[in-house]
Amino acid sequence: MKVFKGYAAKAAGGALEEFEFEPTPLGAFDIEVEITHCGICHSDIHLIDNDWKLSTYPLVPGHEVVGVVTEKGASVDRALLGKRVGIGWQSGACLTCSECSSGLDHLCAQSRATCVGRHGGFASHIRVDSRYAFILPDALASDVAAPLLCGGVTVYSPLKTHNIRAAHHVGVIGIGGLGHFAIQFASALGCEVTAFSTTNAKEKDARELGATNFVSTSDPKNLRQLRSSCDMIISTAYADLPWESYLAALRPRGKLVIVGVPSTEISIPGFTLISGEKSIVGSAIGSRSTITEMLTFAARKEVGAVTERFPLSQVNTALASLRAGKIRYRAVLEVG
Ligand code: NAP
Ligand code: ZN
């Protein structure tokens, strides 16, 4: 029997420890991937800490995976062997329900996550459904591409869904992993981009990534000055924010898109939405077709992760740095 090697949390909030596990059987549509890189998304920290009450331990996190296909199930094309692929948050869906049939497979009720109830990418190998593994464009280096598989598509998807174009003004709250992609994608679409950040030291980087404006939110007065100006604001922060002030920064019919997961309820007076016909909408990762489109767009427009790289053996150092808000802008584990 084969053994895969990885790092697992044994209890909520615990440090990751070396861990060996037997792979699940290789299903007809499955592939085995020898992992070379895995990004660390803040969702991995939410899972390690059991913030969402769905973690089981031992837990091998990791859902921004890049590697090479080494084995295939009976129904997988031989041509996939040896190919470099990426795998994101989602690793399966029923592929027959109305959501799956209409290109919204990421919203399938039977969606399976790469590292929930199964072991993820902080490991030597992974077995996943080949239909959730994406061949990467040659132009994207593996470390630059890995974080696109979750962080990248999560902010690309609402720009596509809500038809954001060059005439629009997009705000991005939180310049971390997701936020630094949101600035790049909105800028590449030609939009005016405003970065909202608690960290003044990120202004130079935000502008280099494509932000037109930088608003320091450590002083709430700065936020109040910006009224009725953004068509869309994407919130990537995992914190509770002054939501009314951000709604005030939207133009009429503007949308506040929630992708970061706040720890408490979002509470706002109804009139904040009614006057100006504004909306608060959620957005979850992206469908298979959106991931494929996003990868092509990223390769063509040179959108990629700004990374800090760590060997897999230093995963706890990388996690501590992310928890401390020190990563610029995505930690990527190098495996092997
Ligand atoms: P990250 O790299 O840690 O970045 C989060 C950023 O939020 C920080 O860099 C910081 O930016 C800002 N922030 C942190 N604390 C804050 C506070 N108290 N007030 C205001 N801003 C604060 O995290 P990430 O990987 O981008 O993930 C962000 C969130 O998105 C997580 O909750 C994650 O679970 C979620 N997520 C959701 C989806 C989805 O499908 N919806 C997919 C992936 C991830 P500044 O220093 O610029 O303020
Ligand atoms: Zn993620």
Side-chain angles (χ1 to χ4, degrees):
M1 177 54 86
K2 278 190 181 181
V3 172
F4 293 171
K5 294 182 176 180
Y7 279 79
K10 302 281 176 65
L16 270 55
E17 299 169 29
E18 281 186 83
F19 177 64
E20 294 191 349
F21 56 99
E22 289 178 3
T24 51
L26 197 67
F29 287 99
D30 288 350
I31 49 171
E32 183 174 304
V33 174
E34 186 175 351
I35 297 172
T36 59
H37 297 81
C38 189
I40 307 182
C41 174
H42 213 103
S43 299
D44 292 313
I45 288 184
H46 290 303
L47 289 176
I48 292 167
D49 293 349
N50 202 13
D51 287 342
W52 301 332
K53 307 292 175 233
L54 45 76
S55 303
T56 53
Y57 302 88
L59 181 150
V60 178
H63 58 273
E64 292 184 339
V65 183
V66 170
V68 176
V69 180
T70 49
E71 302 250 7
K72 69 166 204 73
S75 302
V76 179
D77 192 331
R78 285 199 69 76
L80 207 51
L81 288 170
K83 289 279 192 302
R84 186 180 66 133
V85 295
I87 300 144
W89 173 266
Q90 189 176 13
S91 62
C94 79
L95 300 179
T96 56
C97 70
S98 57
E99 277 71 29
C100 287
S101 313
S102 58
L104 299 174
D105 53 289
H106 62 303
L107 304 180
C108 172
Q110 292 177 51
S111 173
R112 294 184 292 282
T114 301
C115 58
V116 177
R118 59 199 304 288
H119 295 316
F122 293 5
S124 59
H125 298 79
I126 192 167
R127 286 184 174 179
V128 285
D129 189 323
S130 57
R131 295 165 294 189
Y132 281 87
F134 302 88
I135 294 178
L136 298 173
D138 290 342
L140 295 173
S142 296
D143 62 318
V144 165
L148 286 167
L149 274 305
C150 175
V153 73
T154 298
V155 293
Y156 182 84
S157 184
L159 296 170
K160 173 183 159 84
T161 301
H162 301 290
N163 202 19
I164 291 297
R165 300 181 307 277
H168 291 136
H169 180 178
V170 175
V172 178
I173 306 173
I175 314 308
L178 270 58
H180 95 297
F181 281 133
I183 292 174
Q184 292 180 72
F185 279 124
S187 169
L189 285 167
C191 302
E192 180 176 356
V193 182
T194 294
F196 297 96
S197 175
T198 59
T199 313
N200 295 348
K202 290 181 181 173
E203 175 166 3
K204 183 168 172 285
D205 291 344
R207 290 187 188 279
E208 279 172 15
L209 289 165
T212 332
N213 320 299
F214 183 90
V215 176
S216 165
T217 55
S218 45
D219 182 350
K221 279 206 297 293
N222 294 340
L223 196 49
R224 285 200 290 272
Q225 281 164 14
L226 197 84
R227 292 188 71 81
S228 200
S229 92
C230 296
D231 297 281
M232 170 179 282
I233 298 177
I234 303 177
S235 176
T236 76
Y238 47 86
D240 305 312
L241 301 178
W243 302 113
E244 271 189 79
S245 302
Y246 283 109
L247 286 164
L250 287 172
R251 296 175 61 193
R253 297 230 161 153
K255 294 186 169 79
L256 174 61
V257 180
I258 307 295
V259 295
V261 186
S263 52
T264 60
E265 288 173 12
I266 296 175
S267 175
I268 43 113
F271 260 116
T272 314
L273 298 178
I274 293 167
S275 47
E277 298 186 354
K278 296 172 184 179
S279 334
I280 303 180
V281 291
S283 193
I285 48 167
S287 66
R288 290 191 298 169
S289 63
T290 302
I291 291 175
T292 305
E293 179 185 305
M294 177 275 304
L295 289 170
T296 305
F297 184 100
R300 191 165 297 156
K301 292 289 190 176
E302 298 185 358
V303 173
V306 175
T307 64
E308 286 187 29
R309 283 169 285 166
F310 299 82
L312 179 58
S313 58
Q314 285 182 25
V315 62
N316 288 308
T317 308
L319 286 167
S321 192
L322 180 58
R323 285 181 188 276
K326 289 189 176 150
I327 295 292
R328 300 288 184 274
Y329 283 89
R330 196 51 133 193
V332 175
L333 299 169
E334 295 176 317
V335 183

